[in-house]
Amino acid sequence: MSFLTKIFGSRNQRLLKQYQKTVREINALEPQLETLSDEALQAKTAEFKARVAEGATLDSILVEAFAVCREASKRVLKMRHFDVQMIGGMVLHYGKIAEMGTGEGKTLMGTLPIYLNALSGKGVHVVTVNDYLAQRDAEWMGQLYSWLGLSTGINLSQLDHDAKQVAYGSDITYGTNNEFGFDYLRDNMVFEAKDRVQRGLNFAVVDEVDSILIDEARTPLIISGQAENHTELYYKINEVPKMLTLQIGEETPDGSGKIEVPGDYTKDEKAHQVLLTEAGHDKAEKILTQMGLLPEGASLYDAAHITLIHHLYAALRAHALYFKDQHYVVLNDEIVIVDEFTGRMMTGRRWSDGLHQAVEAKEGVRIQNENQTLASITFQNYFRMYTRLSGMTGTADTEAYEFQEIYGLETVVIPPNRPSQRKDRQDQVYKSAEEKYGAMLKDIQDCYERGQPVLVGTTSIENSELLSGILTKAKLPHNVLNAKQHAREAEIIAQAGRPQAITIATNMAGRGTDIVLGGNVAKQVQLIEANDALTEVDKAAQSQKLRDEWNSLHEHVVKAGGLHIIGTERHESRRVDNQLRGRSGRQGDPGSSRFYLSLDDQLLRIFAGDRVRAIMDRLKMPEGEPIEAGIVSRSIESAQRKVEARNFDIRKQLLEYDDVANDQRKVIYQQRNELLEAHDMTELMSSLRHGMFADIVHAHVPLESVEEQWDLPGLEAVLSAEWAIDLLLVKMAASEPSLTGEDILDRVHQAVNQAYDAKVAIVGKESFAGFERSVMLQSIDTHWREHLAALDHLRQGIHLRGYAQKNPKQEYKREAFELFAQMLDMIKNDVVRTVVTVRIQSREEIEAVEEQMALPQVENVHFQHADFDASASPEEIMAPAAFAADDQPELSYALKVGRNDPCPCGSGKKFKQCHGKLA
């Protein structure tokens, strides 16, 4: 600690001191508010809203609003906010992250800033990690909000459009991060302003902020449509990895490392990558040639076969790096990804780059089609759009730097309401996994005999099932939680504090639910109170009996040492380990924790295994004896820091690239929204037309040029052929010697405007504006989709620019900007071309065409070519003639003829030089 920190305190301490003063002001209002009737207290909401509408800031009414919310909570929820919860509420309101230990009451704390910010009428979003928690919190805390006169909405994934609009129209909306992000993207794909569901992004409280803004931010949200189908190819390529062998050991340039087992590909677990060796490359080519996928003598790296190498690497990664029941599970003939941080199934999520299809082929399930990106955004860029963002979690401090760096969010550590009594013991490191599981079993048996509840945290489904097998063999009753359903998960977690309870859970299972020592009695009391068959007296008696029972169970568990946490291995993120530990020792309860590790664990094997093994050998440690030393725990922590830093780099890189797309996304979405809300399109379309035709004229009549440089015949031809505008510019120039380039531009604009006005006159201004709007939206959407695909391709190969001593990120920015400018030009060109050349048909014409379509089709129609008659109308020339001589060319009726195709009349000329001149 520095000299100045000793005198002035750290930034965290200074903030807490400042908020403590405000808490004293809030507490001073309590006696006065307790005397108010329910109606008078409820009327405060309308009073606050009126003050905010008149210009009062939310900060100025914070003290009163917090005091009112606390008093209402005492009456409705029978819970009074602690002073530390008041501090946490202020941290959230000021747009910071509140780190508060498990069981300190984050859900209740959130009601304070949510109530205060909902008074502005602009909406508050409460973001949770899953639908179950969103629904549970909305129903639970919604009682308080509705009592205070505010509406609560729940935004779930399966809701229909109207229900979503109602949810977003509420003062407070609960939902998951995915659903909020997808709704934002979907809102920017609608064709009518009334179809949007979200209002503006005002204030968000993110629950479990580390999980959402950090763990889940490594992959962007993508809405995609079906692309081309390569199903057959995946099944064929899936056979190749089975014929290739893994190389063990690596040859280094200085010859210090050696290959123990030569093979066809190498595997880098740190970087999660596989690479073909030279021998493997040749072998793969031979196999693919035998399969008939690669022509004889062709190379995998030929431009024509570049997709093959992409498919081959996807199949190799699926076989070498992705394992069933660890990275994914097979459910109802589908591959469902398992979240490595929560151990939960991520239904609906798919890996990109063909990896998901490769895993489907490996497991022999039905391969779903590849997708084309229609819209995408990263969580970082979505959440940074909120006017004010805040979050709460039990473990944010280890990631404080990233929160500050990427989101500009400061982390404030809030002290617990009661000091923690939990004892965190040193890690025990064993040589093999068998020894580790043996030691854990002893520890669990000891706790079971003493009646102490145990929570065992594992990092994968596979491990939890393995451990469950060991406990079943030892005849120890237990519950296993792994990524099945959140509601049951929460119930098991709630009862995991009963004496002798043994619960095995994948990472963070049941987050948002407290483990109460002696079991959660509140749930059982609720069931009794909801039972209408019982009289009030019976209800009270049974509830009291349950509470008395709970008191004796609680005492028993406290004497046995509280909840004991066992970690089966260290996670690559220290945060996840802290979350597991934090389940024990809530609200000053006793508790203990210990991690059991072996040198076979992934983290140790990759980062510290050799070093620790050398120490064990040097100390000549006997079988089954663990190392329990600070130096080992520190080396494991430094390994975790390395992985965290690497993951931070991955997220930062994803963000830096997405920032480029994000600036462009904002422009496109802003234009779309302006279009949806615009009633009058005249000005916009006029400027587009003028810009377009100015470019065309200047291409043939350059600015500040002399008459000799003009190409009027060329301009005349382009206007006639491409835009159906007939202007005799050559004649004009001959008859008006003083004609300037500006005059020519004016004449062209006049002619275009006349043609345009004539079309508008036929259908009416309003109808034509609707047509223009839909043409423009469609053009924007089509080109934006293609632009996203182009950016994807650009990003995949951009790192190779580094070999040319260029900065890949700068190159990406430059090229992405050029692509964007091209895209905007293409949109402008498309829209103007469609609007100017569209042919409006009158009602009579449409009816005539419909009648003609209804006529029986005449077979073997022939066209006859009379000598070219310049006076004949196009209709006469193109009309079917009487049946002609048999030697005339045979043509089908209602033929669509291209400008460069031979003329159907049989003259041998191109259509544009024959009847096309008139048509």
Side-chain angles (χ1 to χ4, degrees):
M1 195 186 282
S2 73
F3 173 68
L4 288 173
T5 308
K6 278 181 185 166
I7 296 175
F8 299 110
S10 67
R11 159 93 179 151
N12 205 72
Q13 288 163 337
R14 292 199 301 279
L15 280 172
L16 293 176
K17 215 176 247 178
Q18 187 184 322
Y19 296 149
Q20 198 68 55
K21 276 185 197 162
T22 316
V23 172
R24 285 197 284 274
E25 290 174 38
I26 297 167
N27 290 346
L29 292 173
E30 195 166 11
Q32 179 192 331
L33 290 173
E34 280 174 336
T35 60
L36 293 179
S37 66
D38 283 0
E39 290 72 26
L41 190 63
Q42 288 167 322
K44 285 283 183 187
T45 301
E47 180 200 317
F48 291 147
K49 279 186 170 177
R51 278 162 63 183
V52 171
E54 283 162 18
T57 63
L58 293 178
D59 292 0
S60 66
I61 59 168
L62 182 143
V63 172
E64 294 165 80
F66 274 31
V68 165
C69 188
R70 177 197 264 177
E71 185 55 38
S73 172
K74 277 158 57 179
R75 297 184 192 191
V76 179
L77 301 172
K78 310 283 183 281
M79 292 193 278
R80 180 186 178 276
H81 297 77
F82 300 131
D83 286 0
V84 286
Q85 286 172 311
M86 288 284 169
I87 293 174
M90 279 179 256
V91 170
L92 294 182
H93 170 69
Y94 292 123
K96 296 175 172 28
I97 287 174
E99 179 183 296
M100 227 176 171
T102 304
E104 290 291 319
K106 289 187 282 290
T107 311
L108 185 64
M109 166 185 86
T111 56
L112 301 160
I114 291 167
Y115 171 66
L116 173 60
N117 282 272
L119 297 170
S120 68
K122 293 177 186 167
V124 174
H125 290 175
V126 188
V127 188
T128 65
V129 283
N130 60 50
D131 280 348
Y132 162 71
L133 284 179
Q135 193 147 10
R136 187 204 71 175
D137 291 356
E139 286 166 3
W140 186 16
M141 296 299 146
Q143 303 167 51
L144 170 63
Y145 303 132
S146 63
W147 193 86
L148 282 165
L150 296 173
S151 57
T152 310
I154 313 175
N155 174 29
L156 301 174
S157 50
Q158 61 275 20
L159 287 188
D160 63 22
H161 178 268
D162 294 347
K164 268 186 183 290
Q165 275 186 331
V166 172
Y168 278 110
S170 309
D171 294 312
I172 299 149
T173 310
Y174 281 80
T176 64
N177 47 333
N178 287 350
E179 213 42 41
F180 282 121
F182 283 137
D183 284 336
Y184 170 75
L185 291 175
R186 281 190 286 256
D187 273 359
N188 284 292
M189 293 166 78
V190 299
F191 276 79
E192 295 281 341
K194 65 178 191 304
D195 291 339
R196 289 182 297 198
V197 294
Q198 278 189 349
R199 297 193 281 165
L201 304 179
N202 172 43
F203 176 68
V205 176
V206 183
D207 193 7
E208 306 301 358
V209 66
D210 51 341
S211 176
I212 290 174
L213 296 192
I214 289 187
D215 297 339
E216 300 209 12
R218 274 202 285 183
T219 48
L221 283 178
I222 297 173
I223 292 182
S224 51
Q226 288 203 345
E228 59 197 306
N229 196 349
H230 289 157
T231 307
E232 210 38 56
L233 187 55
Y234 283 109
Y235 284 126
K236 284 182 178 172
I237 294 268
N238 184 51
E239 298 305 313
V240 182
K242 300 171 190 172
M243 305 180 205
L244 302 176
T245 54
L246 173 65
Q247 173 172 301
I248 298 170
E250 212 171 314
E251 192 167 20
T252 49
D254 59 0
S256 57
K258 65 177 192 297
I259 295 171
E260 294 160 42
V261 180
D264 304 312
Y265 64 93
T266 57
K267 179 163 82 167
D268 181 351
E269 286 182 283
K270 269 187 207 175
H272 218 57
Q273 272 304 342
V274 286
L275 280 175
L276 281 172
T277 60
E278 263 181 69
H281 186 261
D282 294 340
K283 190 170 172 183
E285 280 184 354
K286 279 183 192 138
I287 295 168
L288 291 170
T289 307
Q290 283 163 6
M291 286 179 158
L293 295 175
L294 195 65
E296 194 73 50
S299 163
L300 261 178
Y301 287 102
D302 290 347
H305 312 301
I306 210 84
T307 53
L308 270 183
I309 192 100
H310 170 78
H311 283 283
L312 177 59
Y313 269 116
L316 261 177
R317 287 177 70 204
H319 280 266
L321 297 169
Y322 289 83
F323 303 109
K324 188 176 172 180
D325 288 343
Q326 185 180 342
H327 299 102
Y328 62 88
V329 289
V330 181
L331 197 73
N332 307 332
D333 202 36
E334 269 185 39
I335 299 292
V336 183
I337 301 175
V338 171
D339 184 346
E340 60 176 307
F341 293 98
T342 62
R344 292 204 174 99
M345 292 193 288
M346 298 156 81
T347 317
R349 284 273 189 104
R350 289 176 70 77
W351 287 303
S352 55
D353 272 351
L355 175 64
H356 208 98
Q357 289 87 343
V359 174
E360 284 169 333
K362 170 187 161 186
E363 293 297 338
V365 302
R366 188 175 66 81
I367 292 182
Q368 295 180 19
N369 280 351
E370 282 181 69
N371 293 327
Q372 175 197 6
T373 303
L374 305 180
S376 87
I377 192 167
T378 55
F379 280 130
Q380 289 101 324
N381 277 323
Y382 172 70
F383 282 108
R384 291 194 304 189
M385 285 192 290
Y386 279 90
T387 313
R388 190 182 293 173
L389 178 65
S390 64
M392 48 191 183
T393 177
T395 46
D397 205 31
T398 52
E399 312 291 347
Y401 174 71
E402 180 164 351
F403 283 125
Q404 186 65 57
E405 181 83 353
I406 287 182
Y407 301 97
L409 288 172
E410 183 179 3
T411 302
V412 180
V413 180
I414 293 162
N417 186 43
R418 297 197 184 116
S420 171
Q421 306 286 328
R422 190 182 68 237
K423 295 183 177 77
D424 293 329
R425 298 179 187 146
Q426 287 275 15
D427 297 357
Q428 288 196 346
V429 185
Y430 291 84
K431 251 188 180 171
S432 70
E434 289 78 36
E435 292 173 20
K436 171 177 90 170
Y437 284 117
M440 273 160 50
L441 182 62
K442 264 191 204 153
D443 194 352
I444 294 170
Q445 263 169 332
D446 171 55
C447 293
Y448 182 74
E449 282 156 15
R450 290 186 295 104
Q452 183 176 13
V454 182
L455 175 70
V456 187
T458 66
T459 53
S460 69
I461 297 174
E462 199 179 15
N463 279 359
S464 61
E465 285 172 356
L466 172 73
L467 195 61
S468 171
I470 294 171
L471 293 181
T472 308
K473 215 182 247 179
K475 297 191 171 54
L476 289 172
H478 60 279
N479 275 315
V480 182
L481 281 184
N482 52 20
K484 290 295 179 274
Q485 70 257 45
H486 308 304
R488 184 174 160 272
E489 192 176 274
E491 278 164 34
I492 292 175
I493 283 284
Q495 304 307 331
R498 296 178 79 85
Q500 293 193 318
I502 302 172
T503 313
I504 302 173
T506 45
N507 304 328
M508 313 193 256
R511 290 184 80 170
T513 309
D514 287 336
I515 297 179
V516 182
L517 299 188
N520 193 337
V521 72
K523 276 267 191 309
Q524 293 156 303
V525 170
Q526 273 173 6
L527 290 173
I528 288 171
E529 285 176 355
N531 187 349
D532 297 331
L534 297 172
T535 63
E536 287 304 314
V537 179
D538 287 346
K539 281 182 188 177
Q542 288 194 18
S543 298
Q544 194 51 48
K545 188 183 168 199
L546 274 175
R547 286 197 180 97
D548 294 342
E549 254 175 47
W550 177 81
N551 280 328
S552 68
L553 289 175
H554 180 75
E555 283 306 310
H556 179 97
V557 173
V558 169
K559 276 190 187 131
L563 178 68
H564 182 49
I565 301 283
I566 293 178
T568 59
E569 62 180 280
R570 286 285 199 160
H571 193 274
E572 60 179 40
S573 165
R574 287 172 297 163
R575 226 169 2 93
V576 180
D577 293 342
N578 293 344
Q579 268 151 7
L580 179 62
R581 278 205 169 116
R583 295 254 146 247
S584 171
R586 61 183 284 286
Q587 289 292 336
D589 283 341
S592 54
S593 74
R594 167 165 271 157
F595 278 84
Y596 289 89
L597 316 175
S598 85
L599 298 184
D600 299 338
D601 292 352
Q602 193 173 356
L603 190 81
L604 269 174
R605 195 182 72 242
I606 296 174
F607 286 96
D610 297 341
R611 232 182 13 250
V612 180
R613 202 180 290 276
I615 296 171
M616 284 186 151
D617 292 342
R618 211 170 295 140
L619 297 174
K620 296 193 171 53
M621 295 191 71
E623 282 294 310
E625 195 66 34
I627 275 192
E628 190 178 328
I631 186 168
V632 176
S633 297
R634 283 194 295 278
S635 81
I636 292 165
E637 204 159 296
S638 87
Q640 288 175 307
R641 278 205 184 90
K642 278 183 207 163
V643 182
E644 283 167 13
R646 191 176 153 273
N647 288 342
F648 172 53
D649 285 342
I650 291 173
R651 289 188 290 268
K652 198 158 183 239
Q653 189 139 343
L654 171 76
L655 183 63
E656 282 171 346
Y657 282 113
D658 192 64
D659 276 345
V660 176
N662 195 48
D663 295 338
Q664 299 177 359
R665 186 188 298 115
K666 280 181 183 163
V667 172
I668 288 289
Y669 285 178
Q670 187 186 345
Q671 285 188 350
R672 266 189 122 267
N673 287 330
E674 283 170 6
L675 274 176
L676 289 175
E677 283 154 21
H679 297 296
D680 187 7
M681 305 279 291
T682 320
E683 208 172 301
L684 174 65
M685 293 313 296
S686 171
S687 76
L688 282 179
R689 277 198 318 276
H690 281 211
M692 188 78 212
F693 282 98
D695 290 347
I696 293 168
V697 171
H698 291 147
H700 295 85
V701 181
L703 287 165
E704 298 176 9
S705 60
V706 291
E707 206 170 319
E708 286 72 24
Q709 293 169 290
W710 295 358
D711 175 16
L712 292 181
L715 179 57
E716 212 172 284
V718 166
L719 290 173
S720 169
E722 292 183 23
W723 300 90
I725 289 166
D726 296 319
L727 257 187
L728 304 173
L729 294 169
V730 178
K731 269 190 186 171
M732 276 181 207
S735 61
E736 299 175 47
S738 59
L739 201 69
T740 65
E742 285 301 309
D743 295 336
I744 290 172
L745 183 58
D746 286 344
R747 303 279 167 92
V748 171
H749 282 327
Q750 279 168 18
V752 173
N753 289 343
Q754 270 172 2
Y756 175 80
D757 293 341
K759 285 170 191 174
V760 176
I762 297 172
V763 291
K765 195 172 177 181
E766 207 169 301
S767 303
F768 204 73
F771 164 70
E772 286 172 332
R773 181 183 290 113
S774 64
V775 166
M776 196 140 188
L777 288 172
Q778 222 154 2
S779 181
I780 286 175
D781 289 351
T782 308
H783 287 292
W784 177 242
R785 279 204 291 273
E786 287 167 7
H787 181 67
L788 284 176
L791 287 184
D792 270 351
H793 291 306
L794 177 64
R795 189 185 307 184
Q796 279 167 15
I798 202 78
H799 61 276
L800 298 171
R801 306 281 174 94
Y803 293 117
Q805 308 299 313
K806 290 180 176 174
N807 180 340
K809 281 175 200 150
Q810 289 305 327
E811 290 289 294
Y812 180 74
K813 277 183 186 168
R814 187 178 57 75
E815 294 210 12
F817 180 73
E818 283 173 18
L819 285 172
F820 188 64
Q822 284 169 18
M823 179 192 73
L824 292 179
D825 282 345
M826 279 150 76
I827 291 173
K828 188 166 76 174
N829 199 330
D830 258 16
V831 171
V832 175
R833 187 177 296 279
T834 309
V835 169
V836 170
T837 58
V838 68
R839 180 163 171 258
I840 311 277
Q841 290 186 315
S842 65
R843 175 62 48 207
E844 294 79 30
E845 280 180 296
I846 293 169
E847 282 165 7
V849 169
E850 282 169 357
E851 265 176 48
Q852 206 171 20
M853 298 296 273
L855 288 174
Q857 288 291 322
V858 187
E859 302 282 324
N860 299 326
V861 174
H862 293 76
F863 281 83
Q864 181 183 359
H865 179 62
D867 284 338
F868 184 72
D869 175 6
S871 65
S873 73
E875 285 78 7
E876 285 167 4
I877 293 165
M878 297 304 288
F883 288 103
D886 289 338
D887 58 356
Q888 290 298 339
E890 205 171 290
L891 295 150
S892 65
Y893 185 52
L895 192 67
K896 191 175 183 311
V897 188
R899 287 173 29 78
N900 289 312
D901 294 344
C903 189
C905 71
S907 65
K909 291 181 182 176
K910 284 186 177 176
F911 179 60
K912 66 182 179 187
Q913 274 140 14
C914 189
H915 287 94
K917 267 188 181 172
L918 298 156

